[in-house]
Amino acid sequence: MSSSSKIGVFDSGVGGLSILERIHQLLPRESLLYVADSAFAPYGPKGDEFIIQRSRHMMEFFLSQQVKAVVVACNTATAAAVAQLRQEYTLPIIGMEPALKPAASATTTGVIGVLATEGTLASDKFVDLRSRFEGDIEIITMPCPGLVEHIEQVVPDEEAIAQLLENYMSPLLKKNVDTIVLGCTHYSFLAEQIKKIAGDDIAIVDTDDAVARRLHSVLAQADLLKESDASGEIVFYSSGNPGTQKEVISRCWGEKVEVLFF
Ligand code: DGL
């Protein structure tokens, strides 16, 4: 492993592409390997042990590719597995968490909403994070089962998504939230629909940029930033059906890409 090695990025599916995009914008010279574990998505309702096993599987793949760092571009996998992975692997592992900190400093009503998977919201990691901010502010959480499955489709059912979002967001809106945290990387792909339902007065926050910045600083500190000026290449892998995954990943990435079977 050296500064010219690639960076591994994984998620339960296409959600982490929102993070991959920010990483590519911030670090265009870095070569990136993305794994969508779409055959096993959603992770939200699965237990920690299952998610740890899948995460290990991807870590082993990344090690075989001699990556220099791994980004867990998934709130659910971070909550379930990152502590264990850090015990087992020595390379830098960057995880993520719902953006409670920026939301807590942005709110003026003192009430924020968090949309995330049931796994993330039930995790010790989230309970701990929440306890650091609750009291000063009120935090309304909402698990959103079903959304990830829709986003993983070749052609998402917009009407069904809009209905689910209405159902999940109306309890938050009734509580007068002025800030909504997107606590699942998949939901970044619904940001427009979420904004439409929330209206102009509600801020939508995520940690996508913060994760890219954190990766940058970890690589800089370890002297692992790529030195060459050549732009990095991005290779996409998926555990899902290669035919449909090519369509789904290309749609979310915004251009036609090849997808290799993981
Ligand atoms: N994209 C993931 C997250 O950030 C996981 C979604 C899922 O597979 O349930 O939590």
Side-chain angles (χ1 to χ4, degrees):
M1 184 243 279
S2 70
S3 61
S4 60
S5 301
K6 299 180 173 109
I7 297 162
V9 181
F10 78 87
D11 177 47
S12 64
V14 292
L17 292 169
S18 52
I19 307 289
L20 191 79
E21 188 196 355
R22 310 298 171 90
I23 294 173
H24 183 56
Q25 274 168 6
L26 187 68
L27 303 167
R29 291 186 286 186
E30 299 293 343
S31 290
L32 308 170
L33 284 184
Y34 184 83
V35 178
D37 199 18
S38 297
F40 298 90
Y43 279 0
K46 313 245 164 72
D48 287 4
E49 211 34 63
F50 178 86
I51 298 170
I52 290 170
Q53 265 182 39
R54 290 305 306 161
S55 303
R56 266 194 203 119
H57 193 53
M58 287 177 275
M59 289 299 293
E60 292 300 325
F61 169 69
F62 288 140
L63 286 186
S64 75
Q65 303 292 310
Q66 281 139 10
V67 304
K68 59 184 174 184
V70 170
V71 178
V72 184
C74 176
N75 293 271
T76 314
T78 300
V82 84
Q84 184 67 29
L85 298 180
R86 286 189 179 127
Q87 277 181 24
E88 295 176 19
Y89 301 94
T90 53
L91 81 174
I93 301 174
I94 289 88
M96 58 187 305
E97 64 185 20
L100 263 53
K101 194 176 176 191
S105 33
T107 180
T108 52
T109 60
V111 191
I112 68 163
V114 184
L115 303 175
T117 68
E118 51 274 60
T120 296
L121 296 176
S123 68
D124 292 346
K125 211 166 184 304
F126 182 78
V127 170
D128 184 45
L129 176 72
R130 178 181 188 148
S131 69
R132 297 201 329 247
F133 299 98
E134 203 149 46
D136 299 338
I137 57 163
E138 193 181 345
I139 302 171
I140 320 282
T141 57
M142 182 56 70
C144 306
L147 284 181
V148 167
E149 289 89 325
H150 281 295
I151 299 161
E152 291 283 326
Q153 296 302 311
V154 174
V155 182
D157 181 340
E158 298 297 338
E159 242 171 75
I161 290 174
Q163 191 55 58
L164 282 175
L165 286 175
E166 289 278 352
N167 295 348
Y168 294 142
M169 289 174 64
S170 65
L172 308 188
L173 302 179
K174 280 191 192 124
K175 290 275 192 171
N176 203 20
V177 300
D178 67 351
T179 310
I180 294 179
V181 175
L182 302 187
C184 168
T185 51
H186 277 78
Y187 306 165
S188 295
F189 291 104
L190 303 178
E192 286 314 311
Q193 293 95 312
I194 290 171
K195 276 184 197 143
K196 207 164 133 198
I197 297 171
D200 292 340
D201 296 337
I202 295 182
I204 309 296
V205 297
D206 62 42
T207 47
D208 297 4
D209 282 325
V211 174
R213 287 197 303 273
R214 174 85 190 127
L215 171 66
H216 177 256
S217 89
V218 167
L219 291 177
Q221 259 173 27
D223 211 10
L224 282 174
L225 282 169
K226 194 170 160 193
E227 278 153 25
S228 125
D229 276 342
S231 43
E233 59 158 358
I234 306 179
V235 182
F236 299 87
Y237 288 84
S238 175
S239 59
N241 176 310
T244 54
Q245 280 298 298
K246 184 177 161 165
E247 299 302 316
V248 182
I249 291 181
S250 297
R251 171 175 61 76
C252 293
W253 187 245
E255 65 182 86
K256 278 263 170 248
V257 293
E258 290 304 320
V259 176
L260 303 170
F261 186 60
F262 171 73

